[in-house]
Amino acid sequence: MKPSTKLLSPDNHALVLIDFEGQMAFATKSIAISELRNNVAIISGASKIFNVPTIVTTVAEQSFSGPVFPEVQEAYPMETSNYIDRTTMNTWEDEAAYKAITGTKKQKLVLAGLWTGVCIVGPALSALEENYDVYVITDACGDVSDEAHERAVQRMIHAGVKPVTSVQYLLELQRDWARQETYVAVTNLMKKYGGSYGLGIHYAHNMLNH
């Protein structure tokens, strides 16, 4: 009856959202931007629902990359969420970002962002070397080509990173549909951003009323 310690739970990890900005998205080709935005909305919303410590970091926001996705701002408004802007491509090499991430005191780190082969590989491999347990939400990442994304994911898996998907992340946190305190928020999030799965929930809820 005891769940695996390798599973993610609301209180055993921190989420790091890296460079979900317009300029990075414009060149992303490994995933449709509409799908990427939905997946980013799912993981941002999930972390908000479950009060997961979440760090939002940008690169050259004012001078090059632009503001973060609206889906991130919906869960973590710019005015109140202390976004960390960097010049380094590797988030782990930025002092403010490093202190914010390690300051959560969470041994498990979940990463998502753009681009997979640069801005995710860097902190993922760096965190592994400092003995963190690292997860990457692969369908909330993207790169300039399928090849770039797939080789980056493959490289990280070979190094010991655990790949997960956006819906998997959300449902691993919910874990039990009897958790009524988060049930409505989770199903509402999926109705809005969960594609056909969300439509199924919407259908079921409405049909049950009849």
Side-chain angles (χ1 to χ4, degrees):
M1 293 292 293
K2 188 176 180 181
S4 171
T5 58
K6 295 179 181 178
L7 290 170
L8 295 167
S9 65
D11 59 358
N12 74 355
H13 75 283
L15 175 67
V16 188
L17 302 175
I18 301 173
D19 304 349
F20 285 117
E21 300 170 273
Q23 184 63 39
M24 305 301 292
F26 298 153
T28 296
K29 305 300 181 186
S30 62
I31 183 172
I33 296 303
S34 57
E35 183 181 354
L36 175 66
R37 290 181 65 180
N38 278 348
N39 293 341
V40 171
I42 289 169
I43 64 173
S44 299
S47 69
K48 190 71 171 181
I49 291 166
F50 290 97
N51 296 311
V52 173
T54 300
I55 292 93
V56 179
T57 183
T58 59
V59 63
E61 179 189 356
Q62 296 295 323
S63 60
F64 179 73
S65 297
V68 301
F69 288 10
E71 292 76 16
V72 174
Q73 292 192 43
E74 182 178 353
Y76 297 101
M78 185 180 300
E79 300 76 16
T80 58
S81 299
N82 300 316
Y83 297 175
I84 300 169
D85 194 50
R86 318 177 321 278
T87 59
T88 63
M89 285 181 267
N90 180 3
T91 296
W92 209 254
E93 295 180 55
D94 180 88
E95 184 176 5
Y98 177 81
K99 286 181 177 178
I101 296 167
T102 58
T104 65
K105 305 300 183 184
K106 303 296 183 182
Q107 197 58 34
K108 295 183 188 296
L109 300 177
V110 179
L111 310 180
L114 302 175
W115 297 317
T116 323
V118 181
C119 302
I120 301 302
V121 164
L125 298 186
S126 301
L128 283 174
E129 285 207 1
E130 294 193 27
N131 298 314
Y132 284 89
D133 198 8
V134 182
Y135 298 69
V136 170
I137 306 177
T138 55
D139 67 348
C141 296
D143 214 316
V144 297
S145 67
D146 290 345
E147 177 80 5
H149 174 76
E150 293 300 330
R151 294 296 77 75
V153 171
Q154 194 174 37
R155 180 183 179 187
M156 290 187 288
I157 290 172
H158 281 316
V161 168
K162 285 88 169 172
V164 295
T165 66
S166 53
V167 174
Q168 181 183 0
Y169 176 70
L170 171 67
L171 297 184
E172 201 159 312
L173 299 187
Q174 175 67 22
R175 197 82 61 80
D176 186 345
W177 290 121
R179 288 181 176 168
Q180 290 298 308
E181 64 274 16
T182 53
Y183 175 85
V184 172
V186 166
T187 54
N188 282 344
L189 183 67
M190 290 310 297
K191 285 179 188 178
K192 188 173 182 180
Y193 295 112
S196 57
Y197 178 41
L199 277 178
I201 295 171
H202 178 73
Y203 173 86
H205 284 177
N206 278 270
M207 296 307 290
L208 287 172
N209 288 333
H210 296 288

